[in-house]
Amino acid sequence: MLHIKELTYRLGSQLLLDNASVRIPTGHKVGLVGCNGAGKSTLLKLITGDLNSESGEITLSKNCRIGYVKQEAPRGCDSLIEWVLSADKERRALLAEAETAKDPKRIADIQLHLNSIDAHAAPSRASQILAGLGFDETAQNRACSTFSGGWRMRGALAAILFLQPELLLLDEPTNYLDLSGALWLENYLRTYPHTVLIVSHDRNFLNRAVSFILHLECARLSLYTGNYDDFEKKKCLQRQIDLGLKKKQDNERRRINAFIDRFRAKATKATQAKSRLKTLSRMKPIAVQVEDTVAKFSFRAPNKLIANPLLQLKNVAAGYKRDTPILDNLTLRINNDDRIALLGHNGSGKSTLAKLITGRLKPFNGHVIRHCNTKIGYFAQHQMDELESNLCPYDYITELMPDASETQRRAKFGAFGFGVEKINNKCSSLSGGERARLLLIIAAFHSPHVFVLDEPTNHLDIKSRQALIQGLNDYRGAVILISHDRYLIESCAEYLWLVRDGSVFPFDGDMDDYCSFLTNTSQYNKYMKSKSPKILPQRKETRLEQRRIEAKCRAQLLPIKKILHSLESNIKIMITKIADIDTELSNGSLYTSNTKRAQQLSIERGRIKKELEQAEVEWVNTMENYENLTKN
């Protein structure tokens, strides 16, 4: 299907592909992974022919059609479903010709051809794809020009899926999808009849949608069987093997060099020294790929905690038009150290709630109550488009730190892994990942009590996402998450809130339960009817209080664990001693050659045996005490 042979490509002075080769058989579902800036999107453009390589070749099966989302859907007045249907140029041309054809034979040929490509079922198939990506019947009949950029990207994706090309290329397809759309796309791709190559940093998506991983690293391509978790295990194992082989080779090199240095000048050993020099020259160095280091995210804790609740909403109605509020009669509270993920379809009101919490949206009715000293940090995907293209990151930090020294400002960038070589580059030249890091620096600058993150991972690679997870888990404030990244939610959120029908309420279950509901409409609707949609129940204790209780419990258990550890160590020592004595006593000659020694060993064995029995009884009693405390 797809054969890449000895491909080389440079972007300026950076070598993105160096003699890279790979063969992808027909029907494979492949995830293309690599760190930000490795050249994944560039590779897709080389495959489509939008870019030309320096050397090498890319060959495809004969008559292979390539599907690739290059740009947004047009802003024309055609309805969305009409635009998707028009993507099939062959069907469109045949239908147009059928309206004007007069030759009976040609009319028959056209109808036969339309029948062979299942043209009459096309509207139904296009509608199903659009519905799966979140467009209801009303939206499908709206003009393309009425949709925002993100929704037009969905429309463009729908058009490519509708065409069913033999080679489907997708570059971060879940960035503009909600969780429901991402789940639908996973299932769709699993049964897709042709070859798929997907660039994605969504770990869960790669685990479910693909069965092969193509890794772009150090300008080379390597194909692995299995999903992303399988690939990660294999890479880790390979790195360990390479390290072991390199260590052996380094030891052998040192041994040979020592021999050469010692005997090079001796006539009797000169020949052997020369032989070892040849051996040394023939040794191919074993290259060990150093694992990419990803800079951490360091979110500073609030300088002073505020008494709970940090924020309350009482009977709030909010939206963008007073006569049609998106959220209505809403009552909830947020406490210190709450970790909350907001779930719901796109358009359900998650971002509206985020803006309400951060004060960027004023309520129509009701009250938003927050302490006067409460600081709130806010990161949203759309803010990336609001960065001034002519400004550089250093300008933004200078505005936030007017009295600080250059060293202090650079240290702030370093805490978020923002390369110092990039701080004077214009924002227009920064990558998506770099702009995301800059916005996170700005959002977290004042050490907020509440950190609201609306799709923070869209432009971060997998390792940067892991670093963000670590940073959020180390952060000591409250976190509100909106994300389609299941791995992020499962790793950071302790509470799930569902936003639907103008209401917000807790979801009783985990992410697996929620995804199951999304794929089972009747079960989901039944669950929704059973919930009280207006008021979030108050928890009996906050997460901060829970942690204090857990810390107190750990303090009580620590001395007991130390006693258990000491007893276990002593028991092991005594068992070993008894085994050694038994080995010595099993020698029959000991009783005739050294009777006194045999007698001493027997006495010693009896003493240790008695101490062992007492230690085992003490261990059992201590373990019972430990288990009782953990249950309580």
Side-chain angles (χ1 to χ4, degrees):
M1 159 54 69
L2 173 62
H3 185 198
I4 298 172
K5 186 178 180 182
E6 299 175 354
L7 196 66
T8 298
Y9 183 82
R10 296 174 193 274
L11 183 61
S13 60
Q14 185 180 5
L15 184 63
L16 294 180
L17 293 163
D18 182 17
N19 206 34
S21 298
V22 71
R23 185 188 294 273
I24 298 176
T26 301
H28 275 30
K29 310 298 188 297
V30 182
L32 176 56
V33 302
C35 63
N36 281 344
K40 301 182 295 297
S41 297
T42 299
L43 179 59
L44 296 188
K45 291 175 182 176
L46 286 165
I47 293 171
T48 61
D50 291 342
L51 294 174
N52 296 316
S53 64
E54 183 179 310
S55 63
E57 60 181 3
I58 299 174
T59 56
L60 296 165
S61 301
K62 189 177 180 181
N63 299 323
C64 174
R65 294 177 303 159
I66 299 176
Y68 180 48
V69 181
K70 297 181 182 180
Q71 58 187 8
E72 296 179 3
R75 298 172 178 268
C77 58
D78 288 345
S79 70
L80 183 60
I81 192 164
E82 286 174 349
W83 184 82
V84 170
L85 288 168
S86 69
D88 189 344
K89 294 178 181 178
E90 181 185 24
R91 174 182 176 275
R92 184 176 58 183
L94 287 169
L95 288 174
E97 188 180 356
E99 292 181 0
T100 58
K102 296 180 180 179
D103 181 20
K105 185 176 183 304
R106 181 54 187 160
I107 293 172
D109 289 341
I110 291 171
Q111 293 303 322
L112 285 172
H113 199 164
L114 286 170
N115 189 56
S116 67
I117 63 174
D118 205 15
H120 300 294
S124 175
R125 187 160 59 86
S127 180
Q128 288 175 1
I129 292 171
L130 285 167
L133 293 175
F135 296 96
D136 59 21
E137 186 177 353
T138 303
Q140 292 177 26
N141 289 291
R142 278 170 50 192
C144 293
S145 58
T146 63
F147 291 101
S148 64
W151 284 96
R152 287 199 301 276
M153 286 299 294
R154 288 196 193 201
L157 174 60
I160 295 299
L161 297 179
F162 171 71
L163 285 175
Q164 286 198 338
E166 284 75 23
L167 177 59
L168 177 61
L169 305 178
L170 299 176
D171 194 350
E172 292 290 356
T174 62
N175 272 7
Y176 297 96
L177 300 178
D178 56 15
L179 189 55
S180 176
L183 288 171
W184 178 88
L185 186 59
E186 284 176 14
N187 294 326
Y188 182 88
L189 292 178
R190 273 201 294 265
T191 58
Y192 189 75
H194 305 301
T195 308
V196 183
L197 183 59
I198 311 168
V199 174
S200 180
H201 296 303
D202 189 325
R203 190 189 196 103
N204 282 74
F205 184 78
L206 289 172
N207 278 334
R208 290 172 170 80
V210 306
S211 50
F212 295 87
I213 295 292
L214 181 60
H215 189 207
L216 177 52
E217 183 180 43
C218 295
R220 295 298 182 95
L221 292 167
S222 303
L223 188 64
Y224 294 81
T225 304
N227 60 20
Y228 186 83
D229 284 348
D230 296 329
F231 154 75
E232 200 169 50
K233 290 174 187 174
K234 289 174 184 175
K235 281 293 292 180
C236 183
L237 180 61
Q238 185 61 53
R239 190 172 287 111
Q240 291 173 351
I241 292 170
D242 289 345
L243 283 169
L245 291 174
K246 187 177 186 303
K247 186 177 180 181
K248 287 181 181 179
Q249 189 185 74
D250 290 344
N251 290 336
E252 182 66 9
R253 282 181 177 277
R254 280 192 290 270
R255 188 186 68 77
I256 293 173
N257 278 320
F259 182 92
I260 293 168
D261 293 341
R262 185 176 180 186
F263 297 112
R264 190 197 305 262
K266 292 189 178 182
T268 55
K269 297 286 186 178
T271 302
Q272 293 181 36
K274 286 181 181 179
S275 174
R276 280 165 173 74
L277 272 171
K278 290 180 181 178
T279 301
L280 202 61
S281 66
R282 285 195 298 267
M283 270 190 186
K284 282 185 121 181
I286 296 173
V288 177
Q289 179 58 44
V290 179
E291 190 170 5
D292 295 328
T293 56
V294 176
K296 296 179 179 178
F297 289 91
S298 179
F299 301 112
R300 197 172 62 186
N303 296 326
K304 184 179 179 181
L305 289 179
I306 296 173
N308 287 325
L310 289 175
L311 183 141
Q312 280 185 293
L313 273 63
K314 292 187 175 181
N315 303 317
V316 166
Y320 306 97
K321 294 181 180 179
R322 180 172 285 275
D323 54 341
T324 55
I326 295 173
L327 301 171
D328 192 20
N329 196 24
L330 188 63
T331 297
L332 57 83
R333 62 181 281 168
I334 297 171
N335 293 330
N336 279 298
D337 210 27
D338 274 352
R339 301 299 170 103
I340 301 163
L342 302 181
L343 307 177
H345 296 290
N346 276 0
S348 61
K350 302 188 297 295
S351 294
T352 301
L353 178 58
K355 291 175 183 176
L356 195 60
I357 290 170
T358 60
R360 284 162 175 77
L361 187 66
K362 301 300 179 184
F364 298 144
N365 300 309
H367 303 281
V368 178
I369 305 167
R370 60 170 65 87
H371 193 279
C372 60
N373 293 326
T374 301
K375 297 175 184 175
I376 300 177
Y378 179 51
F379 174 99
Q381 180 68 24
H382 65 82
Q383 291 174 327
M384 297 182 71
D385 298 326
E386 297 173 4
L387 289 171
E388 291 289 338
S389 59
N390 291 325
L391 295 181
C392 62
Y394 194 79
D395 295 330
Y396 281 97
I397 292 301
T398 301
E399 186 179 346
L400 291 168
M401 304 172 68
D403 300 323
S405 66
E406 183 176 348
T407 302
Q408 290 171 323
R409 292 168 185 162
R410 287 176 177 269
K412 177 62 69 173
F413 284 110
F416 284 79
F418 197 99
V420 292
E421 72 282 358
K422 298 278 189 179
I423 62 177
N424 291 311
N425 291 2
K426 290 184 178 180
C427 290
S428 58
S429 68
L430 298 178
S431 68
E434 289 161 351
R435 291 200 299 270
R437 282 184 181 268
L438 174 59
L439 286 172
L440 284 167
I441 295 173
I442 296 169
F445 183 82
H446 294 294
S447 305
H449 299 88
V450 184
F451 204 3
V452 182
L453 300 169
D454 191 346
E455 297 294 356
T457 61
N458 276 1
H459 293 278
L460 299 179
D461 60 31
I462 292 177
K463 290 182 180 178
S464 295
R465 292 181 184 207
Q466 188 62 49
L468 177 62
I469 289 168
Q470 185 63 51
L472 291 175
N473 286 338
D474 291 341
Y475 169 64
R476 288 178 54 204
V479 176
I480 311 294
L481 271 175
I482 302 172
S483 179
H484 64 264
D485 188 333
R486 280 185 59 187
Y487 189 73
L488 174 70
I489 293 174
E490 290 169 341
S491 301
C492 295
E494 295 172 351
Y495 307 108
L496 303 179
W497 287 3
L498 192 54
V499 183
R500 176 169 161 164
D501 299 332
S503 304
V504 182
F505 47 88
F507 181 77
D508 301 331
D510 57 19
M511 287 302 295
D512 286 336
D513 297 324
Y514 179 65
C515 291
S516 176
F517 283 140
L518 287 178
T519 54
N520 188 329
T521 306
S522 60
Q523 186 181 10
Y524 183 76
N525 290 334
K526 183 179 179 182
Y527 173 84
M528 293 298 299
K529 288 178 181 178
S530 70
K531 305 307 296 179
S532 173
K534 300 300 179 187
I535 301 176
L536 287 173
Q538 305 305 315
R539 293 178 290 281
K540 294 181 180 179
E541 56 192 29
T542 68
R543 181 60 182 157
L544 191 61
E545 290 164 346
Q546 290 175 5
R547 287 188 175 178
R548 286 174 182 158
I549 294 169
E550 290 167 1
K552 185 177 179 181
C553 181
R554 285 195 298 271
Q556 291 176 334
L557 292 174
L558 185 59
I560 299 175
K561 289 175 74 174
K562 287 182 178 178
I563 293 170
L564 282 171
H565 181 72
S566 176
L567 286 170
E568 287 167 356
S569 299
N570 290 335
I571 287 170
K572 286 180 182 178
I573 292 169
M574 286 186 280
I575 289 172
T576 302
K577 285 182 178 179
I578 290 173
D580 292 341
I581 291 172
D582 287 343
T583 301
E584 197 170 348
L585 288 174
S586 65
N587 185 2
S589 62
L590 177 67
Y591 298 94
T592 55
S593 63
N594 195 343
T595 308
K596 188 175 181 181
R597 173 63 178 164
Q599 201 171 23
Q600 287 175 343
L601 287 173
S602 297
I603 293 170
E604 179 71 6
R605 188 186 189 283
R607 183 184 64 79
I608 296 173
K609 179 69 173 173
K610 189 175 181 180
E611 289 178 358
L612 176 62
E613 290 172 353
Q614 290 174 347
E616 286 176 339
V617 170
E618 188 177 353
W619 181 88
V620 169
N621 292 334
T622 306
M623 179 55 77
E624 286 180 356
N625 186 21
Y626 178 82
E627 288 176 347
N628 288 335
L629 280 173
T630 55
K631 287 176 184 176
N632 296 331

